Amino acid sequence: MRASARHAIRLLPCAFVALGMAASSGPARAFDTGHHVDLTRIAMQELGFNATAIGVAQMENWLVDFYSSADLTGQIKPFVERMHFDKLLTEAEVTNYWGRLTVNTRIAVRASVLAKDRLRLLTVIGMSFHAVQDFYTHSNWVETHPRADNAPFRTETWFNSNSAGLGIRTGNYPNNDPIAPATDHGDYFQGMNHDSYVRPRWQDAYVFAYAASKEWLNACKRWAAEVDPDFWTLARNITLTPAQQTDLSVDLTAAYRISEWITDLGLGGADGHWKGNGSGSAADFVPFFATWTTAADSIFVQQFRVKQWYLDLSGNLTGATPPATPVPAVPKIITNDRRAVIISTVSFTDLSTGVFDSKFDPPFGTPDFYAQISLGGETFLEAMQVDKGDFLPYWTTIKFVPTTTQGIDIRYELWDEDGIGFSDDQADINPAAGVRGLNFRFTIASHQLSGDLSGLHDTLGSAVASAGAEPDTLRARIRLWVTERKLQ
């Protein structure tokens, strides 16, 4: 059932601001928010950062997108727009941009450590991650580093491979490339981008960005150690006051909800930006956006808007000329100690008829399904779909595990989102009485499932279906398959 922010723009009329952000956001121009969130969490977890530090970096990463769309004052947008790795049409421009980003980030990391400012360091990491991750989704890197079907994922990055002569470039933005429309950045339906799992070759772009994020974070650690070898650990284990922790939670919720519900209010553009399109909801977006944007700035928004640490990274960040100083090294990291476990959701179907069963959206409404999937204790939220009770959702969930992992426990839940002021309803997708979600295990060597789902279901053709069978419940059917791929 659908229900019938903190920063510089808060003095503008709320409804106008909401409309302005939605209309100006247009096509996606970054890895979708949810993918940035997941990539940042995964890379930082593997390098030992606590949940608080990860949350700060995730928030600052998202603010790059937010102020690229919502800064109607025009004071921030011109700078943060540079951090999406767009409109670099030649290999030389890409090389120059990478050089400037690397030089700028090393300077910013060292300055943060010199100032003994842990929040500043985490802000620099989160913001710089945005540009690093965007390169692999906005460029032709995937196309110039192709992978055969069912082959291990390739993990070469800009810094640890020789890409000279491959014609590396990024998509034009706005979408007016003088060469050809196919080389525009594009949107969810066309163009060069691999921003969401609704786009071709998204999986490969995502894995490249995962390897690059770990590589980049390791380089930031080296640059921090040049000033103070002990400060990195302090930032990695940062603690906040209870009030600050609450603010961070509120801000991260805003990053999710604004990205999920963003809509152009019927003007023909944005329709969700969490992980693909289809989740836009004006009834939820407008009041939520207005509430968050008219509240006082948290310290995390202040890091971005007031302290303007984005200027440290975006200075001279173009592909026009190379940096004036040597580009610091970004050493290669090991990636062949990981494999990717992949859950592909084929379809979901609402089975609640409203005659003998209760109905998700009575009396005649259609549910707004999303998936909450836990792999080995790590939870992923897949894109809600408004008013779609029978759909092919593109949901693809990837968990990176050590190659020594023998199996992974999976929890799959399907939910109907009810919007602001309502509690979401969990769909019954388990035929067992009194159980709604699915709990099963994927064994790496055999690809066998055991538990609530069993057997070999590792291709689209062998996808397994599960549905709730109890009367008088909110029933649905889900179809999915699970596989794995090694990383090179």
Side-chain angles (χ1 to χ4, degrees), residues 198-365:
V198 307
R199 299 290 298 139
R201 295 175 292 278
W202 168 82
Q203 287 189 33
D204 294 275
Y206 185 85
V207 175
F208 279 125
Y210 158 73
S213 296
K214 289 178 60 179
E215 180 182 76
W216 188 257
L217 189 58
N218 187 60
C220 289
K221 179 181 179 180
R222 289 165 57 96
W223 299 332
E226 293 170 356
V227 179
D228 181 353
D230 298 324
F231 190 76
W232 187 261
T233 301
L234 296 176
R236 194 177 63 183
N237 299 312
I238 192 172
T239 59
L240 302 173
T241 68
Q244 291 170 342
Q245 195 70 56
T246 297
D247 282 348
L248 180 59
S249 178
V250 169
D251 284 347
L252 289 172
T253 297
Y256 171 46
R257 292 306 191 188
I258 290 174
S259 302
E260 178 193 26
W261 289 332
I262 185 171
T263 176
D264 63 358
L265 309 183
L267 297 180
D271 182 21
H273 188 47
W274 173 250
K275 292 181 179 178
N277 57 328
S279 61
S281 171
D284 295 304
F285 175 76
V286 171
F288 186 93
F289 183 86
T291 298
W292 188 70
T293 55
T294 53
D297 287 350
S298 70
I299 60 170
F300 312 105
V301 175
Q302 290 175 10
Q303 294 293 307
F304 205 100
R305 184 183 68 81
V306 179
K307 296 190 176 181
Q308 299 182 317
W309 299 132
Y310 61 86
L311 293 175
D312 291 347
L313 298 181
S314 61
N316 297 312
L317 189 59
T318 70
T321 57
T325 57
V327 178
V330 178
K332 182 178 180 179
I333 60 167
I334 295 173
T335 55
N336 63 5
D337 63 345
R338 290 288 187 274
R339 58 177 77 239
V341 176
I342 307 165
I343 299 180
S344 295
T345 301
V346 178
S347 64
F348 57 71
T349 303
D350 175 19
L351 300 179
S352 61
T353 63
V355 179
F356 299 106
D357 299 337
S358 56
K359 193 169 176 63
F360 286 101
D361 291 352
F364 305 113

Side-chain angles (χ1 to χ4, degrees), residues 100-174:
R100 288 194 175 276
L101 177 66
T102 309
V103 169
N104 289 356
T105 303
R106 177 174 177 264
I107 292 171
V109 165
R110 288 171 57 91
S112 302
V113 178
L114 281 169
K116 305 296 183 184
D117 191 334
R118 290 174 293 175
L119 282 180
R120 180 177 178 181
L121 177 58
L122 294 170
T123 298
V124 168
I125 290 170
M127 290 190 301
S128 63
F129 263 166
H130 197 104
V132 170
Q133 293 160 358
D134 269 3
F135 170 72
Y136 296 93
T137 183
H138 289 181
S139 70
N140 58 351
W141 189 263
V142 170
E143 286 75 16
T144 55
H145 296 76
R147 174 177 65 95
D149 289 344
N150 300 322
F153 281 110
R154 297 180 65 167
T155 58
E156 302 99 319
T157 69
W158 175 264
F159 291 99
N160 66 45
S161 64
N162 182 8
S163 60
L166 295 180
I168 303 297
R169 57 159 291 168
T170 67
N172 199 61
Y173 190 90

